[in-house]
Amino acid sequence: MIWRGWAQSRWRLFRNALLGHRGRRGSRARPGTLVGALLALSLAGIIYAGMSAAFSALVEAGAGPRECGVLLGILLGAAAVGMLVFDLHEVVATVVADSDLQLLRTAPIAPAHVFAIKVIDALPRTSVLLATIAVPALVAYARAHPLAPWAWAAMGPALLALWLIPFGFGSALTLVILRVVPGRFVREAMRFVTTFFVLGLWLVNSFALPRVADRSGDIVGWLAGAAVDAPPAYRISPGSWVASLAVAGALDTPSATLAPAARLVVTAAVALALAALVAAANLDIVQARMAGVGIRRGATARPRRRRMTGGGFLGAVIARDGRMLRRDWAVFADVLITTGLWTLLPIVAAPLHEIAKPLLLRAMLFSLAVGLGYEVGARALPFERRGLAWARLAPVPTLQWTMARWLSVLALALPMAVVAALVSGRALGLPVAESLGAFGQSLPALVMAISIGLWTGARFGNPDWTHQRAMLSGTGRLFAVVLIFAQGTGWIMWIWVDAPGGLVVPALGALVSLLALAAAAQTLGRRSVT
Amino acid sequence: MNGPALRIHQLTHRYGSFVAVKALDLEVRRGEILGFLGPNGAGKTTTLRCCAGLLAAAAGAIEIAGVSLAADPLGARARLGFVPDRPFFYERLSAREFLDFIAAIYDVSPQVAGPRADVLLRRLELEEAADDLIETYSHGMRQKVSLAAALLHEPPLLMLDEPLTGLDPIGARTMKDVLRESAGQGHGVLVSTHLLDVAERLCDRVVILHHGEKRAEGSLAELRGAGSSATLEDVFLAMTRDGVTPA
């Protein structure tokens, strides 16, 4: 009965989100949900096309199901780690702080059932990477090496296990952290977990990826070697186990599925059981701590003193943003850490010996510029939360409001970019003038990225965000990824061919910035306030 | 400056096909407190949000202290103080910092805003907590900060959406006193409320809204009718019973 009611309510929520609800107050469809679904489908299509091409090329080069299976395993492993990085907070938030949790917990439903309901609730909210990377990659693999029918039947549970493993272990670890950190830091701690995983993943990636790149001369040979004697990190990854099932399906050898299937099932069961056990022991306390975070008596802003600075509207906006950012250390730390990571991206993604150092520095600064567009620009407006309504209430034109936010974001981003330029230049052994020149060249990219980011935040910002990496709606985050990819690719290609066109490209960047700011102001002026 | 603090003419607002407010006419005079009454879903909050410029009206005209919201939205907004049912705060600012910011966006000079904020914080019994972050405040304290923010630029019109809901007796009394004082200074005050006894004692006139239409308007004596001893609750129940003809 419980499950029937639960399924019915979830179906209604899904239908209303996608198609709108024809109630007394008319249809309230959410086009964003539909756009998000279409965007996810498009990304899945792109991954499928790319992986199909990659598998076809490998097959032509003589790779068999086992060799292609290694590549599939790497991708599935990346999807699992990506879920941990991008969606763990969503799972934890669903389990400990979802809006209907109190309702469920006061209803005559066993705690284990409540936990199971919330875990299942988390699945659709956190399965974007499963749908956009894992499934298309698997289908592309099956196109190159058709699977036996029994293998297809095994893939559903295998992908579910791939989802359960990171989230089971991740939730258990997070709940323990939320239990032990000091009460006033619980909310920030939950949010900081994702930043921590981003940093961890990046460090691992920084060591692993160049090693793969070093062997890229004979990719089939490397894959064949890895299929026989894979590195331990690959062998113990759930992605490799799912890939082994696919390889067995392609070779139609059911007996070969036993070992990977057993590993998957046991690991998923252990992850789920561990999460359930930890939740049973800690959920009440963690929830109470989460509920109490708003009551931080004595969390004084600073000793009383006159703060009227007389800097006018712009000064007030900058002062307000500075104070709020300084007091939200989870967001501030996330911005600082990701600034470092965006700067390092070109080093990780490109073999060092093939790029001249000045070009590498430029690539690093352009990567940072585009990254800051999301990290600072897109998050600026939703960071205001409900205070954003003042943009509609105050006797200030929304364009002026948007410009003030743009300047306030620049006031934060510019010093970060300058420091990144000087530190990176010094690390690469380049003169200061070279570093500052590279910074100057990346300035149009920074300005444009922040302008586009502000529009993204105005359009897709969620003032009720619970996590600093999810200040945009799901659709907004997908959109932001596309925009980051497009900008990053464009600018890197531009500097790769020695920045042709003189000032034309920066001028175009300025024009796009102006259009984006105007669009952001217009969106802000029309944004509904509830 | 002699016209009403708020004039609404034939205001209509729709959510899709649902008409939330139908051709509403309403006037808040300077120096009066107008109670805006109606059952849940009557259209009170929608009307207030249209007046604040948070919702775009489908039809009709709104004038705040003689300034048309459609023709001069910034001028109209500058003449309005709005206390929403869920305040719009920056939770990680203190009340004093928040008021500093509000003063800046309403172009009140620091020399004027500083002393004015101090007076408001003292009057609303927030002085001791003024340097604590708003996120630590109770519901009542939040309502008071929201009221202080609305009064800071001394607007000719003050609109409040359910300001007394959830307040303790002391907080409610303070809030009512401040509203009375504001009306006494010549400002128009529009208070949306469910609390009929509060409206009965606080408001000079009331408007009863039902299904987006005005059902009654006037002082309590006018609504009761000559010689009647009916309470506002009796009048309200009679007016909001389906089948009653709009005023």
Side-chain angles (χ1 to χ4, degrees):
Chain A
M1 195 65 184
I2 291 169
W3 291 102
R4 191 178 152 197
W6 169 82
Q8 193 177 43
S9 67
R10 266 48 184 176
W11 161 246
R12 285 174 177 161
L13 285 171
F14 172 73
R15 184 193 60 195
N16 293 345
L18 204 64
L19 305 173
H21 174 59
R22 289 219 160 266
R24 199 169 69 92
R25 295 198 170 219
S27 176
R28 287 195 173 189
R30 295 187 198 166
T33 310
L34 203 58
V35 172
L38 289 174
L39 211 52
L41 268 177
S42 308
L43 281 177
I46 291 169
I47 295 285
Y48 171 75
M51 291 313 299
S52 286
F55 285 129
S56 297
L58 283 174
V59 168
E60 276 182 27
R66 285 195 176 84
E67 290 77 24
C68 290
V70 173
L71 183 58
L72 177 66
I74 291 172
L75 263 174
L76 295 176
V81 176
M83 286 190 280
L84 197 61
V85 168
F86 294 112
D87 291 324
L88 175 60
H89 71 275
E90 188 77 46
V91 176
V92 176
T94 305
V95 170
V96 304
D98 221 7
S99 56
D100 66 348
L101 205 56
Q102 290 302 330
L103 182 71
L104 289 169
R105 288 171 68 79
T106 50
I109 304 174
H113 284 178
V114 174
F115 179 73
I117 285 171
K118 297 324 293 175
V119 168
I120 299 170
D121 276 348
L123 177 58
R125 300 176 195 179
T126 55
S127 54
V128 171
L129 288 176
L130 212 58
T132 57
I133 294 182
V135 172
L138 195 61
V139 175
Y141 175 84
R143 188 177 170 219
H145 300 287
L147 303 188
W150 61 263
W152 280 116
M155 283 305 150
L159 289 176
L160 182 62
L162 187 70
W163 179 86
L164 269 175
I165 290 168
F167 288 143
F169 288 124
S171 301
L173 177 65
T174 309
L175 285 174
V176 171
I177 291 171
L178 296 184
R179 169 76 189 259
V180 298
V181 294
R184 59 180 298 191
F185 298 127
V186 169
R187 187 170 52 183
E188 286 89 348
M190 188 182 94
R191 288 159 34 190
F192 195 67
V193 163
T194 298
T195 306
F196 175 77
F197 275 109
V198 170
L199 183 63
L201 172 71
W202 205 268
L203 291 176
V204 170
N205 202 29
S206 305
F207 289 107
L209 210 63
R211 294 183 189 180
V212 174
D214 280 348
R215 307 176 191 207
S216 59
D218 176 18
I219 186 71
V220 176
W222 182 80
L223 289 173
V228 178
D229 183 22
Y234 175 79
R235 272 182 285 155
I236 61 164
S237 82
S240 76
W241 301 336
V242 178
S244 297
L245 288 179
V247 171
L251 296 171
D252 202 9
T253 51
S255 60
T257 62
L258 287 178
R263 286 189 197 113
L264 266 176
V265 169
V266 170
T267 312
V270 168
L272 189 59
L274 188 65
L277 278 174
V278 172
N282 298 290
L283 207 53
D284 280 339
I285 296 161
V286 169
Q287 277 183 311
R289 302 185 96 207
M290 293 290 292
V293 291
I295 312 300
R296 299 200 313 179
R297 295 279 170 215
T300 304
R302 62 170 65 180
R304 180 183 173 173
R305 64 183 178 85
R306 180 52 53 216
R307 275 174 294 270
M308 297 289 186
T309 56
F313 173 64
L314 178 60
V317 168
I318 292 176
R320 177 204 64 181
D321 291 349
R323 285 175 182 138
M324 292 203 304
L325 190 62
R326 203 177 63 236
R327 287 169 193 161
D328 200 330
W329 63 265
V331 174
F332 194 33
D334 188 71
V335 168
L336 290 179
I337 288 173
T338 49
T339 295
L341 300 184
W342 279 107
T343 312
L344 293 173
L345 180 65
I347 291 183
V348 177
L352 267 168
H353 58 274
E354 288 183 9
I355 301 181
K357 285 179 179 175
L359 182 60
L360 179 61
L361 176 64
R362 279 169 169 67
M364 291 167 75
L365 295 182
F366 275 87
S367 168
L368 173 65
V370 171
L372 284 176
Y374 174 76
E375 304 297 347
V376 188
R379 296 197 280 180
L381 291 171
F383 183 58
E384 293 185 33
R385 292 190 179 274
R386 284 179 60 74
L388 193 54
W390 289 102
R392 298 281 308 271
L393 274 174
V396 177
T398 47
L399 186 59
Q400 188 185 343
W401 192 284
T402 309
M403 289 304 293
R405 294 300 280 122
W406 183 76
L407 287 169
S408 146
V409 169
L410 266 186
L412 174 67
L414 275 177
M416 293 165 81
V418 171
V419 169
L422 293 175
V423 171
S424 306
R426 186 172 171 80
L428 292 171
L430 295 171
V432 173
E434 177 79 40
S435 303
L436 292 177
F439 163 74
Q441 198 179 28
S442 69
L443 210 49
L446 180 65
V447 167
M448 190 173 105
I450 285 174
S451 308
I452 291 175
L454 273 177
W455 172 78
T456 315
R459 175 68 185 80
F460 298 107
N462 171 21
D464 298 320
W465 56 271
T466 55
H467 189 274
Q468 74 273 2
R469 299 214 62 77
M471 290 190 195
L472 304 182
S473 64
T475 304
R477 276 177 279 163
L478 280 172
F479 214 87
V481 167
V482 173
L483 289 172
I484 286 173
F485 184 75
Q487 289 179 83
T489 308
W491 286 114
I492 297 289
M493 282 173 66
W494 184 63
I495 58 166
W496 193 265
V497 292
D498 211 14
L503 291 174
V504 173
V505 172
L508 276 175
L511 180 65
V512 172
S513 304
L514 286 175
L515 292 174
L517 285 175
Q522 193 179 37
T523 307
L524 201 57
R526 291 179 180 168
R527 216 184 139 91
S528 68
V529 177
T530 54
Chain B
M1 293 293 284
N2 294 324
L6 174 69
R7 179 180 285 144
I8 296 174
H9 178 65
Q10 294 290 300
L11 177 72
T12 298
H13 184 79
R14 296 187 183 89
Y15 293 105
S17 58
F18 173 70
V19 183
V21 180
K22 291 176 200 165
L24 177 68
D25 288 321
L26 188 143
E27 204 172 275
V28 181
R29 300 166 195 154
R30 291 175 192 263
E32 79 165 353
I33 300 180
L34 180 70
F36 201 33
L37 310 181
N40 292 332
K44 304 186 298 292
T45 297
T46 300
T47 303
L48 263 53
R49 283 171 184 262
C50 285
C51 294
L54 297 176
L55 290 173
I62 296 166
E63 269 182 26
I64 298 173
V67 178
S68 162
L69 184 65
D72 181 7
L74 301 184
R77 283 187 217 167
R79 288 161 174 78
L80 167 70
F82 181 43
V83 179
D85 50 350
R86 280 180 66 209
F88 305 124
F89 284 138
Y90 303 105
E91 301 267 340
R92 298 220 171 179
L93 294 185
S94 69
R96 206 182 295 275
E97 290 169 344
F98 179 66
L99 293 181
D100 285 355
F101 179 72
I102 295 301
I105 64 176
Y106 280 88
D107 201 21
V108 183
S109 76
Q111 291 74 23
V112 174
R116 205 180 276 171
D118 286 341
V119 169
L120 283 169
L121 290 169
R122 202 176 310 122
R123 181 70 188 87
L124 290 162
E125 295 152 359
L126 287 167
E127 205 172 20
E128 273 186 33
D131 293 303
D132 290 346
L133 298 185
I134 292 173
E135 69 176 9
T136 67
Y137 285 7
S138 67
H139 172 73
M141 293 165 81
R142 286 164 177 260
Q143 287 294 90
K144 288 177 183 176
V145 176
S146 190
L147 178 61
L151 288 169
L152 192 61
H153 60 293
E154 296 190 336
L157 173 66
L158 191 61
M159 290 196 317
L160 305 98
D161 194 1
E162 304 287 357
L164 301 170
T165 306
L167 291 191
D168 63 28
I170 301 170
R173 180 59 182 264
T174 307
M175 181 80 85
K176 283 186 281 187
D177 287 348
V178 171
L179 295 184
R180 265 270 149 249
E181 287 163 17
S182 186
Q185 290 162 8
H187 302 162
V189 181
L190 177 60
V191 184
S192 151
T193 182
H194 282 111
L195 307 173
L196 298 180
D197 55 333
V198 169
E200 197 161 12
R201 269 174 274 155
L202 179 69
C203 301
D204 303 305
R205 291 189 305 131
V206 295
V207 165
I208 297 176
L209 199 68
H210 190 41
H211 291 324
E213 294 176 276
K214 186 162 69 178
R215 289 287 167 97
E217 180 178 9
S219 66
L220 186 59
E222 288 167 348
L223 293 181
R224 278 178 184 149
S228 167
S229 61
T231 63
L232 181 58
E233 186 178 28
D234 297 328
V235 175
F236 179 83
L237 292 174
M239 290 294 170
T240 55
R241 202 172 292 136
D242 286 325
V244 174
T245 312

